[in-house]
Amino acid sequence: MTESLLFRGAKILGADSADILVQDGRIAEIGSGLSAAGARTIDADGLVALPGLVDLHTHLREPGYEASETILSGTRAAAAGGFTAVFAMPNTSPVADSAGVVEQELALGESAGYATVQPIGAVTVGQKGERLAELGAMASSRANVRVFSDDGFCVWDPLIMRRALEYVKAFDGVIAQHAQDPRLTEGAQLNEGAVSAELGLAGWPAVAEESIIARDILLAEHVGSRLHVCHLSTAGSVELIRWAKKRGVAVTAEVTPHHLLLTDELARGYDARFKVNPPLRTQEDVLAVREGLADGTIDIVATDHAPHPSEAKACEWQAAANGMVGLESALRVVHQAMVQTGLLDWADVARVMSSAPARIGSLAGHGTPIAAGQPAEFTLYDAAAAGVFAESDLHGQSSNSPYLGRDLPGKVLWTVHNGYATLEDGVLADRGARS
């Protein structure tokens, strides 16, 4: 039995103020002047109420890399960022390429209780790109996997990619491709351009991403199956997705918060916090992906939360690991890059960070409207707040954030998951396991 919560005066999707009553894990009532015997009352005056955020691209590292992150620490970070569900990428040890591993991840997420953890299954055994993993077994397991990806590795063999697209079509699954031609990026360190040339770092050409996207669009069209493009980063990639959608291809795409805001100019100090895959691109690319997200060409924002221990980043650029943590900062970065610039409103933010990722991932009970009778999965955001992003804002096990020391707008104050407050007035709740 969950406690009753009454939030007074929240601005649903940034619009009209209303009270939100939560009882028995659901939104019991929306209105003004609500009351309920025994309910805990919270002053939410002026706070923006959004459906619980859903991240289609999270690295939780467990099992195998618990020094970087665990499912418990990662979902605590998620709750602090306003997320109520995260999709866990399969590059664990062992790789999530079987029913046993994805069911283990699901159970660990249920035990932690801070967010729904939906495993993503690997496309190929061991993410080696040689033969298909147990896609059907993972789909029919208790984890009910519907998204498959070798993220971190491109499914480079076109025949393997075609077979994967054909296989998942039977249960309306989706292949999420890490678009990176490995031959074109051998030794690559930074976006190929003026900055990489000046710094003497091997260039990472945009065509390495775009050529794989183009090939996979044609394969998805040929097979009639669903394709999702992970962490799109170039202006050319946006044009390819726009072209594919005009053709009626069942393709969706994501962009990360860091590709909406940061550029390769930040690499000039050789600070490895800014080393990521795909790399930070140019200002022209940033403007193009913003436009693509604003006009619906790009469907969602996904964090690509990629924690690493300090020693993996506190070294020379060439030896440093790729990746950034991003769960706690994602909403604030989208606020700065998209809302403050007038490109999105809060209803759009709810779409690209909640309802659309839940739909793409076939995740029931998330991405639902803030309305009576719906599951109590939402977040309350103080859009008027602002501050310097600091290590105290991080709640996972790693601190490789590119935003440390940077001014960001907003603050997530409340996250409600499964009827419980997992974040209360900006402080993580410690309540133990939840069902």
Side-chain angles (χ1 to χ4, degrees):
M1 186 77 172
T2 60
E3 69 173 330
S4 296
L5 301 170
L6 178 58
F7 295 90
R8 291 200 179 279
K11 298 174 67 176
I12 297 177
L13 302 184
D16 295 335
S17 295
D19 300 343
I20 306 171
L21 177 62
V22 174
Q23 291 179 322
D24 299 328
R26 305 193 80 81
I27 298 173
E29 195 173 356
I30 301 282
S32 59
L34 299 184
S35 63
R40 180 156 64 113
T41 302
I42 297 102
D43 180 9
D45 184 42
L47 301 183
V48 176
L50 298 169
L53 306 184
V54 177
D55 188 15
L56 197 66
H57 194 143
T58 309
H59 297 273
L60 295 180
R61 305 302 192 203
E62 188 177 12
Y65 304 107
E66 290 84 356
S68 298
E69 195 78 284
T70 66
I71 287 175
L72 174 59
S73 67
T75 52
R76 282 171 61 86
F83 290 88
T84 59
V86 295
F87 284 73
M89 278 294 176
N91 49 343
T92 52
S93 182
V95 170
D97 59 5
S98 66
V101 178
V102 295
E103 287 183 344
Q104 177 190 6
E105 292 176 338
L106 181 73
L108 287 168
E110 291 171 340
S111 177
Y114 284 91
T116 296
V117 173
Q118 175 56 53
I120 291 176
V123 176
T124 64
V125 175
Q127 296 178 289
K128 295 180 179 178
E130 297 171 352
R131 58 191 176 95
L132 289 182
E134 300 174 6
L135 308 185
M138 288 186 280
S140 60
S141 73
R142 197 171 76 84
N144 194 37
V145 177
R146 288 296 179 272
V147 183
F148 299 88
S149 180
D150 272 0
D151 185 61
F153 303 94
C154 179
V155 182
W156 186 63
D157 186 323
L159 182 58
I160 294 289
M161 187 63 179
R162 174 183 174 168
R163 287 174 175 168
L165 288 164
E166 288 172 335
Y167 199 107
V168 301
K169 185 178 176 181
F171 47 80
D172 193 32
V174 59
I175 301 298
Q177 176 69 294
H178 174 103
Q180 177 193 349
D181 188 307
R183 294 297 301 278
L184 290 174
T185 55
E186 289 180 6
Q189 295 289 323
L190 185 65
N191 176 59
E192 184 178 273
V195 177
S196 65
E198 290 174 26
L199 298 182
L201 295 173
W204 192 308
V207 71
E209 174 175 304
E210 296 159 5
S211 60
I212 296 295
I213 293 174
R215 181 204 74 177
D216 288 350
I217 286 169
L218 295 176
L219 286 174
E221 182 178 43
H222 179 71
V223 172
S225 189
R226 290 205 293 145
L227 168 71
H228 179 74
V229 178
C230 295
H231 42 49
L232 176 154
S233 69
T234 77
S237 295
V238 177
E239 286 305 311
L240 285 166
I241 300 297
R242 188 173 284 129
W243 171 79
K245 288 189 170 184
K246 287 179 180 177
R247 288 174 66 91
V249 181
V251 60
T252 54
E254 71 189 34
V255 63
T256 69
H258 46 272
H259 287 112
L260 288 169
L261 189 64
L262 309 178
T263 74
D264 57 356
E265 291 288 337
L266 291 165
R268 290 189 180 278
Y270 295 99
D271 185 340
R273 287 184 301 132
F274 300 110
K275 186 179 181 183
V276 66
N277 179 356
L280 299 179
R281 303 290 187 177
T282 67
Q283 184 65 22
E284 290 76 16
D285 291 309
V286 167
L287 295 176
V289 297
R290 286 184 183 181
E291 180 184 353
L293 184 63
D295 68 18
T297 300
I298 299 172
D299 300 83
I300 66 169
V301 174
T303 72
D304 194 8
H305 175 81
H308 291 291
S310 59
E311 60 268 21
K313 286 289 191 178
C315 56
E316 64 273 17
W317 181 279
Q318 288 89 334
N322 287 304
M324 305 167 168
V325 294
L327 286 167
E328 298 97 332
S329 54
L331 183 54
R332 297 175 67 179
V333 173
V334 170
H335 182 184
Q336 184 174 85
M338 301 301 296
V339 179
Q340 288 188 335
T341 55
L343 293 170
L344 296 182
D345 61 21
W346 291 114
D348 295 323
V349 172
R351 170 175 51 83
V352 301
M353 297 189 75
S354 183
S355 61
R359 173 182 51 81
I360 292 167
S362 302
L363 185 62
H366 288 273
T368 54
I370 299 176
Q374 296 291 348
E377 306 279 349
F378 60 89
T379 187
L380 297 174
Y381 181 71
D382 185 356
V388 175
F389 195 79
E391 286 207 30
S392 59
D393 292 306
L394 298 173
H395 299 276
Q397 291 191 183
S398 298
S399 58
N400 53 305
S401 169
Y403 306 108
L404 294 175
R406 190 183 188 102
D407 288 326
L408 291 178
K411 184 175 179 62
V412 179
L413 291 181
W414 290 83
T415 304
V416 176
H417 167 54
N418 198 26
Y420 291 93
T422 53
L423 184 75
E424 302 183 2
D425 200 21
V427 178
L428 283 167
D430 287 309
R431 297 193 180 197
R434 301 167 176 81
S435 60

